[in-house]
Amino acid sequence: MPADVVLGMSLGDEGKGKVVDYFSECYDYVVRFNGGNNAGHTLTVNGRKTSVHALPSGILHPHVNNVIGNGCVVDPFQLVKEIEMHGGPSVFKGRLFISHAAHLITPTHIYEDKNSGKNIGTTGKGIGPTYSSKMARTGLRMEDFENDSVLESIYGKETINLLKPFITDTKNLLQLAIKSGANVLLEGAQGSMLDIDHGTYPYVTSSNCTIGAALTGTGLNHKQIRKVYGVTKAYTTRVGEGPFLTEQNNEIGNRLRELGGEVGTTTGRPRRCGWLNGPELRQNCLLNGVDELIVTKLDILDSFDKIQICVSTSEPEPIYISLIGWNTQTKGLRDKSKLPKNLLNLVEVIGKIANIPVTFISTSPERNDVIKL
Ligand code: IMP
């Protein structure tokens, strides 16, 4: 059985967490392969909201094995906090696996990030400095818990002892899982426009968030990837600094922020809001080899008379097309036949612009509020 991948097509916060939680029902393994606790994935089940940062979004399904791959960076203090918040180590026994090769975020990395990351608007979690250490070959890895006594003075015995049983060679684990016919879902964090190579450099995160990272960050090969799902909101948001061509620094942006609850899950910062950037979406679908597109947060547009999509970015000012809204509540719908014609039209336009079929839409944060088209 090969693996499937879920990737963000924009600047993070596309709703990947919900999508992964929804899909997890059908998978045996859910694997994070990039980033760390800079991510914030919100999962809502029966009205109960849960946030995960370093843990994979499959954790709410007891049958799912959760893997933190070698491409991730780990803040041991924060990971322990998250494990405790979700029931403690006993809940994760035998179903959480952390790569021995994942790099350790140290307090020095966090200090450095808080001081040097200000002009980019980083999350301040030490992500950039940790990946810098990795590339400079001076980093510490999870496996160093085994034999580096200095680490005890950084993290303390308790933290180290709690995490040690979860550390393993996750590359071998995943290869064996695939060989034995397990279903594996690779969960991207952040999004293509935050990718260190393909994003809006230098206003990016310090890992690759695009398809290549799903391989290098897990140790799987390209022949083992079956399907790539791209996730996009029906509009765009950005936290932190950096270019944002379709940003609506006006009443429209304020409405999107308010109706969409657009506040950063990790930092609590208000998100900048704007219209969907069509050419960027198309480019990112191509870049990642997306097979199917999933559109989230269409319900946030329920009360908009007019919805815009940017169709050209080559002029000094972006060119938009306008679509008529549907002025009907669609939040929570699960039946395709109940969807307004104008909403389906918008979805079709998005698919055409992206040059990829839209196969699912999400109609609310709730796990099962999803419609397969
Ligand atoms: P860093 O990843 O903390 O270094 O932050 C670099 C940039 O990526 C900043 O603009 C952050 O706001 C942004 N960023 C990092 N993680 C996420 C995420 O999960 N969602 C959205 N933006 C993120």
Side-chain angles (χ1 to χ4, degrees):
M1 265 299 173
D4 296 328
V5 191
V6 170
L7 294 173
M9 290 297 99
S10 185
L11 292 146
D13 308 318
E14 298 94 347
K16 298 178 296 295
K18 173 196 163 148
V19 168
V20 170
D21 175 48
Y22 171 78
F23 280 167
S24 290
E25 186 69 44
C26 312
Y27 289 87
D28 306 300
Y29 286 81
V30 174
V31 188
R32 278 279 308 269
F33 57 80
N34 75 305
N37 57 315
N38 48 346
H41 297 153
T42 309
L43 321 174
T44 309
V45 185
N46 297 326
R48 213 173 140 231
K49 238 180 173 183
T50 313
S51 293
V52 284
H53 297 277
L55 288 170
S57 298
I59 60 157
L60 299 185
H61 296 263
H63 75 278
V64 168
N65 294 304
N66 297 278
V67 179
I68 298 177
N70 58 277
C72 295
V73 288
V74 177
D75 179 337
F77 293 120
Q78 292 306 315
L79 183 56
V80 165
K81 248 194 208 164
E82 228 176 300
I83 289 172
E84 296 290 3
M85 208 185 313
H86 294 287
S90 59
V91 169
F92 291 95
K93 204 166 167 221
R95 55 183 285 260
L96 174 65
F97 305 91
I98 309 168
S99 169
H100 71 290
H103 275 248
L104 285 165
I105 301 173
T106 65
T108 313
H109 290 133
I110 298 172
Y111 178 80
E112 207 182 317
D113 190 22
K114 283 192 171 144
N115 285 291
S116 66
K118 275 189 204 127
N119 54 343
I120 288 169
T122 69
T123 59
K125 304 292 181 190
I127 306 299
T130 306
Y131 279 112
S132 299
S133 297
K134 173 178 174 172
M135 290 311 178
R137 295 162 294 175
T138 55
L140 292 161
R141 313 205 300 181
M142 291 304 295
E143 66 188 350
D144 294 322
F145 276 174
E146 219 38 80
N147 45 27
D148 191 335
S149 54
V150 179
L151 290 189
E152 218 175 277
S153 64
I154 304 177
Y155 300 112
K157 231 183 186 139
E158 213 178 316
T159 301
I160 292 177
N161 287 342
L162 192 146
L163 292 178
K164 252 186 185 174
F166 297 111
I167 301 170
T168 188
D169 184 335
T170 53
K171 172 171 70 177
N172 284 347
L173 176 87
L174 291 170
Q175 287 292 358
L176 285 173
I178 288 205
K179 206 169 169 187
S180 70
N183 286 310
V184 176
L185 185 61
L186 309 180
E187 174 188 19
Q190 290 86 44
S192 292
M193 297 316 292
L194 288 176
D195 182 280
I196 185 83
D197 285 286
H198 303 289
T200 53
Y201 192 89
Y203 299 97
V204 290
T205 191
S206 294
S207 69
N208 285 109
C209 324
T210 44
I211 188 66
L215 307 180
T216 52
T218 57
L220 295 181
N221 70 57
H222 68 104
K223 290 179 189 154
Q224 291 167 322
I225 303 295
R226 174 175 49 189
K227 196 174 269 193
V228 180
Y229 293 98
V231 186
T232 179
K233 270 181 194 160
Y235 52 94
T236 306
T237 61
R238 173 164 211 154
V239 254
E241 303 305 317
F244 186 175
L245 198 70
T246 58
E247 182 169 16
Q248 297 297 302
N249 224 333
N250 51 32
E251 204 36 52
I252 294 169
N254 294 342
R255 258 179 92 193
L256 287 170
R257 187 175 311 107
E258 200 171 306
L259 293 169
E262 297 297 352
V263 176
T265 313
T266 300
T267 56
R269 291 178 290 180
R271 293 179 185 144
R272 298 157 64 193
C273 297
W275 295 119
L276 191 66
N277 185 330
E280 201 169 271
L281 176 64
R282 190 184 177 98
Q283 176 67 40
N284 289 333
C285 285
L286 181 67
L287 171 69
N288 291 293
V290 169
D291 297 293
E292 297 184 25
L293 199 56
I294 300 170
V295 181
T296 63
K297 292 196 123 173
L298 283 151
D299 58 296
I300 303 309
L301 305 175
D302 279 353
S303 61
F304 280 69
D305 294 327
K306 196 175 80 175
I307 294 148
Q308 291 190 286
I309 302 182
C310 170
V311 289
S312 173
T313 54
S314 53
E315 304 296 317
E317 287 294 315
I319 296 174
Y320 293 95
I321 50 164
S322 280
L323 290 110
I324 301 164
W326 43 91
N327 264 307
T328 320
Q329 197 182 318
T330 64
K331 187 174 175 162
L333 287 186
R334 295 185 184 180
D335 182 351
K336 187 185 166 189
S337 67
K338 298 223 165 74
L339 289 173
K341 205 173 89 259
N342 289 356
L343 183 147
L344 285 169
N345 182 44
L346 173 67
V347 169
E348 201 183 319
V349 170
I350 293 174
K352 275 203 179 122
I353 289 173
N355 201 24
I356 300 291
V358 178
T359 50
F360 290 89
I361 64 164
S362 159
T363 57
S364 96
E366 185 64 41
R367 176 188 281 168
N368 292 315
D369 288 348
V370 173
I371 298 177
K372 187 166 178 9
L373 299 176

